[in-house]
Amino acid sequence: MEPESAVTTCYRHPRVECHVRCVRCERYICPDCMREAAVGHQCPDCVREGARSMRQARTLVGGRVSAVPVVTYALIALNALAYLTEVVRPEVVDRFAMVGAGLLGPDGGHYVWTRPYPADFTPEGVAGGEWYRLLTGAFLHLPPTEGTFGVLHVLMNMAMLWNLGRVVEPMLGRVHYVALYVLSALGGSVLVLLLAPSDPTVGASGALFGVGAAFYVVSRRVGADMRGVNRYMTGLLLWLVVSAYLTSWQGHLGGLLTGALVALAFAWAPRDGRRVLVQAGACAGLVVLLAVLAVAKVSELTGGGIPQ
């Protein structure tokens, strides 16, 4: 009489009979636990362990490689949502546009900044303590029936973000790309505050000029064919000149310069354990510089007082 053979079961599902072993740990695995490998199958635990030990691919600046530009899509969605909000509630533009210094009159009207101002007028804008305007203005655009471009303002900016962001985000990685975009937006707003504090401005153009600058800097760093890049930058700089007569050139220039500085710090940071520290330190230093410039300008506008 032949002896009865032992029944083998899955190590994760003891009630399931199976005859396949994991090629790494040699434990028995059922069809639900099988994971395709180069040779044979692996169990879920070995797959997870392999993923932890595998070296993650990195971009030139040290960011994680991402095939899908999620941040770019999210920024487009956020700008579109903000624009729909403007259409439904137009007062949102007055409340959140980038304004360095203005006055709100007793009649609810908005007036040019002057100091001293009448007792029944209220300061508004950054000089009135509304520091959030330095960032929120970069997510608003001209209402459909106002300005030189109207609805084309948001459409052109989103088209530019769609085309440029899908190239630059994979070059940098999501975290670096977010930092670049936000700092470029802030840099544009701060230059508006410094040079044209009474002009209300809206639009993502400052941030987009920063992304364009990063495209040039990183392309140079990786040794890319610069012919197409140079043509793009020529068009961008030409628009900067033309925009001096149509839109806020201060915001465009501020975003361009800030984006270039951020990209230089990202691309030329040492490729060792100091890279993250250098990049984070450069971004923090730039934030401090922008904050000092903004505070100094507000102090000048208000005669020494810093609004809270």
Side-chain angles (χ1 to χ4, degrees), residues 188-203:
S189 294
V190 169
L191 196 60
V192 170
L193 172 64
L194 294 176
L195 301 181
S198 296
D199 294 346
T201 61
V202 291

Side-chain angles (χ1 to χ4, degrees), residues 256-268:
L256 182 76
L257 295 176
T258 304
L261 290 175
V262 172
L264 286 169
F266 285 168
W268 266 269

Side-chain angles (χ1 to χ4, degrees), residues 209-260:
F209 268 80
V211 176
F215 177 46
Y216 179 83
V217 169
V218 178
S219 296
R220 290 276 305 217
R221 187 70 174 93
V222 300
D225 184 349
M226 295 300 294
R227 287 175 293 182
V229 179
N230 288 335
R231 285 195 297 269
Y232 180 85
M233 288 304 298
T234 300
L236 196 64
L237 294 175
L238 180 61
W239 173 240
L240 177 62
V241 175
V242 174
S243 69
Y245 300 94
L246 301 173
T247 60
S248 172
W249 65 268
Q250 298 91 346
H252 295 176
L253 180 60
L256 182 76
L257 295 176
T258 304

Side-chain angles (χ1 to χ4, degrees), residues 57 74-75 87 101 115 127 157 198 205 299:
L75 288 171
V87 173
R115 191 177 63 86
N157 275 350
S198 296
S205 302
S299 178

Side-chain angles (χ1 to χ4, degrees), residues 13 23 25 65 72 94 119 157 163 188 190:
H13 304 100
V23 295
C25 66
V65 173
T72 295
D94 289 334
N157 275 350
N163 291 312
V190 169

